[in-house]
């Protein structure tokens, strides 16, 4: 069912970290049961994961899916946490009390987390299997690696896209402080251009879901939309869920989801996840104990951290992968 290609080049080895172990490309061999979408997708994306993932690939592929599930799907560092909190509250009648009492990690479980961090005591796939319905499930896996029942049962799927230039910038800090990466920034950025970093490539991942954006069970949004016009996104998301809220209720939710509020909300800012990952990486590898999972949440912050030369190369990389499609990332 799956083919695994070990990443053994000097570039790949330079960005591998002990917390995850050796990296592999994971490819689905038979893609005949995947959705055809609008016909723009040529071949479903593969994903760079770790060798340990091989032990759970078939288990995830054969996971039971329920019609009342809600799946939050994004590439890494593309507004996932923000989307999780937004959709959970909209789907649970704005129950801020429960959202404050139960951590987002438990309300919207990260499906493949335990496969990527072998030291984790909990089996996150098992946690998803035992969740009370309706389930909210988070994943960074591409279409080809997700449960095959997603395409027959057709639960609700919310996809959030983000400009790769901001993703790269955010992911570098994430890789340092959560995964324990101690290599150079230059090595990491070069590995991104060669798709040799965990959870890459991002762009085909996004194009797969762009191709099914018009399906009635799919909501496709952009990180940049959420930053610039959250009010409009909340209306779209409410309609997607079949919910009706007053303008005052949506304004309150918009404030709750603002970056300044979210980064200080310990029930939703993944401070627990950060502490867990830093403990696995070793505190000596966590470059700053003041680092926060929700770091800046800005549009265009890449201009402050990437060189002009690298931005030009990244722009060319993006254009090559978008060639022949009608999709464009927002700036």
């Amino acid at each position: 069912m799956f083919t695994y290609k070990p990443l053994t080049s000097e570039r790949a080895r330079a960005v591998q970290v002990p917390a995850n172990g050796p990296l592999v490309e994971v490819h689905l061999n038979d893609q005949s049961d995947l959705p055809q979408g609008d016909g723009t997708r040529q071949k479903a994306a593969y994903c760079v994961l770790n060798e340990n993932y091989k032990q759970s690939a078939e288990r995830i592929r054969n996971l039971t899916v329920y019609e009342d599930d809600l799946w939050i799907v994004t590439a890494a560092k593309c507004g996932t946490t923000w989307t999780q909190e937004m959709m959970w509250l909209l789907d649970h009648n704005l129950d801020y009390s429960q959202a404050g009492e139960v951590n987002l990690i438990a309300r919207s479980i990260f499906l493949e987390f335990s496969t990527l961090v072998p030291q984790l005591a909990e089996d996150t796939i098992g946690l998803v299997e035992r969740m009370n319905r309706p389930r909210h499930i988070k994943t960074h896996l591409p279409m080809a690696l997700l449960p095959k029942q997603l395409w027959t049962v057709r639960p609700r799927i919310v996809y959030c896209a983000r400009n790769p230039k901001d993703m790269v910038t955010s992911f570098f800090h994430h890789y340092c402080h959560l995964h324990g990466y101690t290599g150079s920034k230059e090595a990491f950025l070069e590995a991104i251009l060669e798709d040799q970093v965990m959870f890459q490539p991002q762009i085909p991942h996004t194009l797969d879901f762009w191709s099914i954006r018009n399906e009635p069970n799919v909501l496709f949004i952009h990180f940049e939309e959420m930053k610039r016009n959250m009010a409009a996104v909340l209306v779209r998301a409410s309609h997607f869920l079949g919910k009706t809220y007053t303008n005052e209720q949506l304004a309150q939710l918009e404030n709750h989801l603002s970056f300044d509020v979210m980064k200080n909300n310990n029930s939703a800012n993944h401070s627990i996840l950060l502490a867990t990952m830093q403990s696995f990486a070793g505190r000596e590898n966590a470059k700053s104990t003041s680092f926060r999972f929700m770091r800046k949440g800005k549009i265009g912050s890449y201009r402050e951290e990437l060189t002009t030369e690298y931005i030009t190369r990244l722009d060319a990389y993006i254009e090559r992968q978008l060639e022949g499609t009608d999709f464009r990332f927002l700036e």
Side-chain angles (χ1 to χ4, degrees):
M1 180 66 74
F2 293 102
T3 299
Y4 304 95
K5 177 185 175 183
L7 297 183
T8 58
S9 70
E10 182 177 348
R11 180 80 67 204
R13 290 197 304 270
V15 296
Q16 293 181 7
V17 296
N20 301 128
L23 300 181
V24 296
E25 288 182 6
V26 184
H27 297 258
L28 177 67
N29 295 328
D30 181 3
Q31 301 187 3
S32 60
D33 60 353
L34 296 182
Q36 296 303 306
D38 61 6
T40 61
R41 177 175 57 77
Q42 299 299 312
K43 184 178 180 182
Y46 69 90
C47 195
V48 174
L49 298 166
N50 60 350
E51 281 197 352
N52 190 64
Y53 182 81
K54 293 190 282 187
Q55 300 178 29
S56 301
E58 294 286 354
R59 186 179 171 199
I60 289 176
R61 180 77 173 148
N62 293 312
L63 185 81
T64 298
V65 173
Y66 300 103
E67 189 176 358
D68 57 359
D69 284 347
L70 192 150
W71 289 69
I72 305 295
V73 185
T74 75
K77 305 308 296 179
C78 290
T80 322
T81 305
W82 208 7
T83 306
Q84 286 175 274
E85 181 76 351
M86 175 181 73
M87 298 308 300
W88 191 92
L89 282 164
L90 286 173
D91 202 31
H92 290 81
N93 302 316
L94 306 181
D95 190 345
Y96 295 104
S97 177
Q98 186 179 0
E101 294 170 2
V102 182
N103 197 280
L104 184 61
I105 290 174
R107 289 184 277 123
S108 185
I109 294 177
F110 187 1
L111 173 64
E112 68 271 19
F113 187 41
S114 59
T115 74
L116 307 175
V117 186
Q119 307 96 315
L120 194 69
E122 292 181 309
D123 170 19
T124 52
I125 304 172
L127 291 177
V128 167
E129 291 171 331
R130 296 189 298 273
M131 283 181 81
N132 293 328
R133 295 170 56 188
R135 307 180 302 182
H136 277 226
I137 302 164
K138 158 193 168 177
T139 181
H140 293 317
L141 296 176
M143 177 184 287
L145 274 56
L146 288 170
K148 59 188 176 184
Q149 287 189 9
L150 277 175
W151 321 120
T152 55
V153 177
R154 297 171 63 81
R156 301 164 297 173
I157 300 172
V158 180
Y159 190 91
C160 186
R162 189 182 189 185
N163 191 295
K165 289 177 282 192
D166 280 329
M167 182 284 296
V168 167
T169 306
S170 179
F171 199 22
F172 170 69
H173 293 282
H174 179 99
Y175 223 59
C176 290
H177 296 286
L178 271 79
H179 294 256
Y181 175 66
T182 58
S184 71
K185 184 175 183 178
E186 291 72 24
F188 179 87
L189 294 178
E190 290 299 323
I192 286 285
L193 293 178
E194 297 177 18
D195 299 328
Q196 299 200 37
V197 179
M198 178 80 83
F199 288 128
Q200 300 307 298
Q202 174 202 359
I203 298 172
H205 187 297
T206 300
L207 292 176
D208 278 351
F209 283 89
W210 178 251
S211 75
I212 61 171
R213 68 194 180 280
N214 294 322
E215 295 295 325
N217 64 311
V218 176
L219 175 65
F220 191 104
I221 58 178
H222 293 260
F223 176 93
E224 293 77 12
E225 289 181 288
M226 296 170 74
K227 286 294 295 184
R228 293 196 174 102
N229 194 354
M230 177 60 92
V233 173
L234 291 177
V235 170
R236 284 179 59 205
S238 298
H239 290 166
F240 176 72
L241 296 173
K243 299 284 187 176
T244 301
Y245 296 108
T246 66
N247 291 336
E248 291 75 15
Q249 288 174 313
L250 292 180
Q252 181 183 7
L253 179 56
E254 183 174 0
N255 179 69
H256 175 85
L257 294 169
S258 67
F259 185 80
D260 287 341
V261 172
M262 280 282 289
K263 73 178 181 181
N264 293 310
N265 179 358
N266 288 332
S267 184
N269 63 11
H270 281 346
S271 54
I272 293 176
L273 176 61
L274 175 61
T276 299
M277 287 297 293
Q278 287 186 338
S279 70
F280 293 149
R283 274 294 172 183
E284 66 278 9
N285 290 334
K287 293 186 177 180
S288 169
T289 56
S290 64
F291 175 80
R292 292 188 174 191
F293 190 95
M294 302 189 72
R295 193 177 61 91
K296 285 187 177 180
K298 291 173 58 178
I299 298 173
S301 63
Y302 69 89
R303 297 185 183 92
E304 303 166 7
E305 302 195 39
L306 302 178
T307 66
T308 301
E309 185 269 340
Y310 185 80
I311 293 171
T312 299
R313 294 174 61 203
L314 186 53
D315 280 335
Y317 166 88
I318 295 167
E319 285 304 312
R320 283 195 304 271
Q321 297 204 32
L322 293 182
E323 187 175 358
T325 77
D326 63 351
F327 178 77
R328 290 297 179 268
F329 290 101
L330 301 184
E331 291 279 353

PDB file of all heavy atoms in Angstrom, residues 1 12 59 76 79 87-90 124 150 156 183 219 221 242 275 309 329:
ATOM      1  N   MET A   1       0.827  -1.212   0.000  1.00  0.00           N
ATOM      2  CA  MET A   1       0.000   0.000   0.000  1.00  0.00           C
ATOM      3  C   MET A   1       0.860   1.261   0.000  1.00  0.00           C
ATOM      4  O   MET A   1       0.612   2.196  -0.729  1.00  0.00           O
ATOM      5  CB  MET A   1      -0.925   0.008   1.219  1.00  0.00           C
ATOM      6  CG  MET A   1      -1.829   1.227   1.302  1.00  0.00           C
ATOM      7  SD  MET A   1      -3.026   1.311  -0.012  1.00  0.00           S
ATOM      8  CE  MET A   1      -4.171   0.039   0.510  1.00  0.00           C
ATOM      9  N   ALA A  12      19.563  16.093   3.952  1.00  0.00           N
ATOM     10  CA  ALA A  12      18.503  15.540   4.794  1.00  0.00           C
ATOM     11  C   ALA A  12      19.017  15.222   6.187  1.00  0.00           C
ATOM     12  O   ALA A  12      18.350  15.501   7.185  1.00  0.00           O
ATOM     13  CB  ALA A  12      17.923  14.297   4.139  1.00  0.00           C
ATOM     14  N   ARG A  59      -2.632   1.613   9.838  1.00  0.00           N
ATOM     15  CA  ARG A  59      -3.639   1.814  10.885  1.00  0.00           C
ATOM     16  C   ARG A  59      -4.387   3.126  10.670  1.00  0.00           C
ATOM     17  O   ARG A  59      -5.620   3.187  10.801  1.00  0.00           O
ATOM     18  CB  ARG A  59      -2.953   1.810  12.245  1.00  0.00           C
ATOM     19  CG  ARG A  59      -3.905   1.876  13.417  1.00  0.00           C
ATOM     20  CD  ARG A  59      -3.126   1.847  14.702  1.00  0.00           C
ATOM     21  NE  ARG A  59      -3.978   2.124  15.857  1.00  0.00           N
ATOM     22  CZ  ARG A  59      -3.525   2.517  17.037  1.00  0.00           C
ATOM     23  NH1 ARG A  59      -2.212   2.656  17.224  1.00  0.00           N
ATOM     24  NH2 ARG A  59      -4.359   2.768  18.026  1.00  0.00           N
ATOM     25  N   ALA A  76       1.952  21.908   8.157  1.00  0.00           N
ATOM     26  CA  ALA A  76       2.467  22.396   9.434  1.00  0.00           C
ATOM     27  C   ALA A  76       2.647  23.909   9.419  1.00  0.00           C
ATOM     28  O   ALA A  76       3.030  24.498   8.400  1.00  0.00           O
ATOM     29  CB  ALA A  76       3.798  21.718   9.749  1.00  0.00           C
ATOM     30  N   GLY A  79      -1.667  27.915  10.548  1.00  0.00           N
ATOM     31  CA  GLY A  79      -2.883  28.375  11.209  1.00  0.00           C
ATOM     32  C   GLY A  79      -3.704  27.271  11.832  1.00  0.00           C
ATOM     33  O   GLY A  79      -4.902  27.456  12.099  1.00  0.00           O
ATOM     34  N   MET A  87     -13.124  26.484  15.075  1.00  0.00           N
ATOM     35  CA  MET A  87     -14.127  25.509  14.667  1.00  0.00           C
ATOM     36  C   MET A  87     -14.735  24.783  15.864  1.00  0.00           C
ATOM     37  O   MET A  87     -15.929  24.465  15.852  1.00  0.00           O
ATOM     38  CB  MET A  87     -13.525  24.504  13.676  1.00  0.00           C
ATOM     39  CG  MET A  87     -13.038  25.120  12.366  1.00  0.00           C
ATOM     40  SD  MET A  87     -14.247  26.179  11.501  1.00  0.00           S
ATOM     41  CE  MET A  87     -15.595  25.024  11.194  1.00  0.00           C
ATOM     42  N   TRP A  88     -13.931  24.527  16.891  1.00  0.00           N
ATOM     43  CA  TRP A  88     -14.489  23.844  18.065  1.00  0.00           C
ATOM     44  C   TRP A  88     -15.559  24.710  18.731  1.00  0.00           C
ATOM     45  O   TRP A  88     -16.645  24.230  19.063  1.00  0.00           O
ATOM     46  CB  TRP A  88     -13.384  23.508  19.073  1.00  0.00           C
ATOM     47  CG  TRP A  88     -13.893  22.580  20.142  1.00  0.00           C
ATOM     48  CD1 TRP A  88     -13.861  21.224  20.162  1.00  0.00           C
ATOM     49  CD2 TRP A  88     -14.570  22.976  21.356  1.00  0.00           C
ATOM     50  NE1 TRP A  88     -14.469  20.724  21.291  1.00  0.00           N
ATOM     51  CE2 TRP A  88     -14.919  21.776  22.039  1.00  0.00           C
ATOM     52  CE3 TRP A  88     -14.914  24.187  21.928  1.00  0.00           C
ATOM     53  CZ2 TRP A  88     -15.584  21.793  23.274  1.00  0.00           C
ATOM     54  CZ3 TRP A  88     -15.597  24.204  23.139  1.00  0.00           C
ATOM     55  CH2 TRP A  88     -15.926  23.012  23.811  1.00  0.00           C
ATOM     56  N   LEU A  89     -15.271  25.993  18.901  1.00  0.00           N
ATOM     57  CA  LEU A  89     -16.234  26.875  19.560  1.00  0.00           C
ATOM     58  C   LEU A  89     -17.493  27.063  18.718  1.00  0.00           C
ATOM     59  O   LEU A  89     -18.613  27.025  19.232  1.00  0.00           O
ATOM     60  CB  LEU A  89     -15.583  28.219  19.886  1.00  0.00           C
ATOM     61  CG  LEU A  89     -14.677  28.191  21.115  1.00  0.00           C
ATOM     62  CD1 LEU A  89     -13.772  29.409  21.161  1.00  0.00           C
ATOM     63  CD2 LEU A  89     -15.517  28.110  22.392  1.00  0.00           C
ATOM     64  N   LEU A  90     -17.323  27.252  17.414  1.00  0.00           N
ATOM     65  CA  LEU A  90     -18.491  27.397  16.544  1.00  0.00           C
ATOM     66  C   LEU A  90     -19.346  26.136  16.550  1.00  0.00           C
ATOM     67  O   LEU A  90     -20.577  26.198  16.518  1.00  0.00           O
ATOM     68  CB  LEU A  90     -18.047  27.711  15.114  1.00  0.00           C
ATOM     69  CG  LEU A  90     -17.524  29.122  14.846  1.00  0.00           C
ATOM     70  CD1 LEU A  90     -16.978  29.215  13.435  1.00  0.00           C
ATOM     71  CD2 LEU A  90     -18.613  30.178  15.076  1.00  0.00           C
ATOM     72  N   THR A 124      -1.895   8.480  20.290  1.00  0.00           N
ATOM     73  CA  THR A 124      -2.887   9.470  19.865  1.00  0.00           C
ATOM     74  C   THR A 124      -3.881   8.905  18.861  1.00  0.00           C
ATOM     75  O   THR A 124      -5.019   9.384  18.777  1.00  0.00           O
ATOM     76  CB  THR A 124      -2.202  10.725  19.288  1.00  0.00           C
ATOM     77  OG1 THR A 124      -1.252  10.333  18.283  1.00  0.00           O
ATOM     78  CG2 THR A 124      -1.480  11.495  20.382  1.00  0.00           C
ATOM     79  N   LEU A 150     -12.505   8.762   4.650  1.00  0.00           N
ATOM     80  CA  LEU A 150     -12.831  10.187   4.514  1.00  0.00           C
ATOM     81  C   LEU A 150     -13.551  10.458   3.196  1.00  0.00           C
ATOM     82  O   LEU A 150     -14.406  11.350   3.118  1.00  0.00           O
ATOM     83  CB  LEU A 150     -11.553  11.036   4.572  1.00  0.00           C
ATOM     84  CG  LEU A 150     -10.985  11.393   5.939  1.00  0.00           C
ATOM     85  CD1 LEU A 150      -9.662  12.126   5.773  1.00  0.00           C
ATOM     86  CD2 LEU A 150     -11.964  12.251   6.726  1.00  0.00           C
ATOM     87  N   ARG A 156     -17.140  16.392   7.731  1.00  0.00           N
ATOM     88  CA  ARG A 156     -16.750  17.793   7.525  1.00  0.00           C
ATOM     89  C   ARG A 156     -15.224  17.919   7.579  1.00  0.00           C
ATOM     90  O   ARG A 156     -14.579  17.380   8.470  1.00  0.00           O
ATOM     91  CB  ARG A 156     -17.386  18.680   8.591  1.00  0.00           C
ATOM     92  CG  ARG A 156     -18.907  18.634   8.606  1.00  0.00           C
ATOM     93  CD  ARG A 156     -19.476  19.186   9.889  1.00  0.00           C
ATOM     94  NE  ARG A 156     -19.078  18.391  11.049  1.00  0.00           N
ATOM     95  CZ  ARG A 156     -19.321  18.730  12.308  1.00  0.00           C
ATOM     96  NH1 ARG A 156     -19.947  19.864  12.573  1.00  0.00           N
ATOM     97  NH2 ARG A 156     -18.932  17.951  13.293  1.00  0.00           N
ATOM     98  N   GLY A 183      20.904  22.823  14.122  1.00  0.00           N
ATOM     99  CA  GLY A 183      21.697  23.151  12.943  1.00  0.00           C
ATOM    100  C   GLY A 183      21.510  24.592  12.526  1.00  0.00           C
ATOM    101  O   GLY A 183      20.817  25.382  13.180  1.00  0.00           O
ATOM    102  N   LEU A 219     -14.532  22.982   3.731  1.00  0.00           N
ATOM    103  CA  LEU A 219     -14.386  24.436   3.880  1.00  0.00           C
ATOM    104  C   LEU A 219     -12.913  24.757   3.707  1.00  0.00           C
ATOM    105  O   LEU A 219     -12.072  24.303   4.487  1.00  0.00           O
ATOM    106  CB  LEU A 219     -14.865  24.891   5.251  1.00  0.00           C
ATOM    107  CG  LEU A 219     -14.647  26.381   5.581  1.00  0.00           C
ATOM    108  CD1 LEU A 219     -15.478  27.277   4.658  1.00  0.00           C
ATOM    109  CD2 LEU A 219     -14.976  26.672   7.048  1.00  0.00           C
ATOM    110  N   ILE A 221     -10.106  27.654   3.678  1.00  0.00           N
ATOM    111  CA  ILE A 221      -9.859  29.031   4.110  1.00  0.00           C
ATOM    112  C   ILE A 221      -8.358  29.324   4.050  1.00  0.00           C
ATOM    113  O   ILE A 221      -7.542  28.414   3.898  1.00  0.00           O
ATOM    114  CB  ILE A 221     -10.386  29.291   5.538  1.00  0.00           C
ATOM    115  CG1 ILE A 221      -9.725  28.320   6.544  1.00  0.00           C
ATOM    116  CG2 ILE A 221     -11.898  29.165   5.586  1.00  0.00           C
ATOM    117  CD1 ILE A 221     -10.148  28.543   7.986  1.00  0.00           C
ATOM    118  N   GLY A 242     -23.765  24.897   9.728  1.00  0.00           N
ATOM    119  CA  GLY A 242     -25.210  24.974   9.915  1.00  0.00           C
ATOM    120  C   GLY A 242     -25.588  25.696  11.198  1.00  0.00           C
ATOM    121  O   GLY A 242     -26.658  25.442  11.774  1.00  0.00           O
ATOM    122  N   ALA A 275       5.934  22.271  26.137  1.00  0.00           N
ATOM    123  CA  ALA A 275       6.691  21.712  27.265  1.00  0.00           C
ATOM    124  C   ALA A 275       7.020  20.241  27.028  1.00  0.00           C
ATOM    125  O   ALA A 275       8.136  19.777  27.325  1.00  0.00           O
ATOM    126  CB  ALA A 275       5.905  21.881  28.556  1.00  0.00           C
ATOM    127  N   GLU A 309      17.809  37.261  -1.481  1.00  0.00           N
ATOM    128  CA  GLU A 309      18.212  36.195  -2.406  1.00  0.00           C
ATOM    129  C   GLU A 309      17.392  34.934  -2.165  1.00  0.00           C
ATOM    130  O   GLU A 309      16.926  34.280  -3.109  1.00  0.00           O
ATOM    131  CB  GLU A 309      19.706  35.905  -2.232  1.00  0.00           C
ATOM    132  CG  GLU A 309      20.280  34.892  -3.214  1.00  0.00           C
ATOM    133  CD  GLU A 309      20.223  33.460  -2.690  1.00  0.00           C
ATOM    134  OE1 GLU A 309      20.105  33.276  -1.460  1.00  0.00           O
ATOM    135  OE2 GLU A 309      20.278  32.520  -3.523  1.00  0.00           O
ATOM    136  N   PHE A 329      -1.394  31.540  -3.461  1.00  0.00           N
ATOM    137  CA  PHE A 329      -1.349  31.869  -2.037  1.00  0.00           C
ATOM    138  C   PHE A 329      -1.579  33.357  -1.863  1.00  0.00           C
ATOM    139  O   PHE A 329      -1.181  34.173  -2.706  1.00  0.00           O
ATOM    140  CB  PHE A 329       0.008  31.465  -1.451  1.00  0.00           C
ATOM    141  CG  PHE A 329       0.218  29.997  -1.340  1.00  0.00           C
ATOM    142  CD1 PHE A 329       0.983  29.320  -2.281  1.00  0.00           C
ATOM    143  CD2 PHE A 329      -0.359  29.262  -0.306  1.00  0.00           C
ATOM    144  CE1 PHE A 329       1.178  27.957  -2.196  1.00  0.00           C
ATOM    145  CE2 PHE A 329      -0.170  27.896  -0.216  1.00  0.00           C
ATOM    146  CZ  PHE A 329       0.599  27.233  -1.167  1.00  0.00           C
TER     147      PHE A 329
END
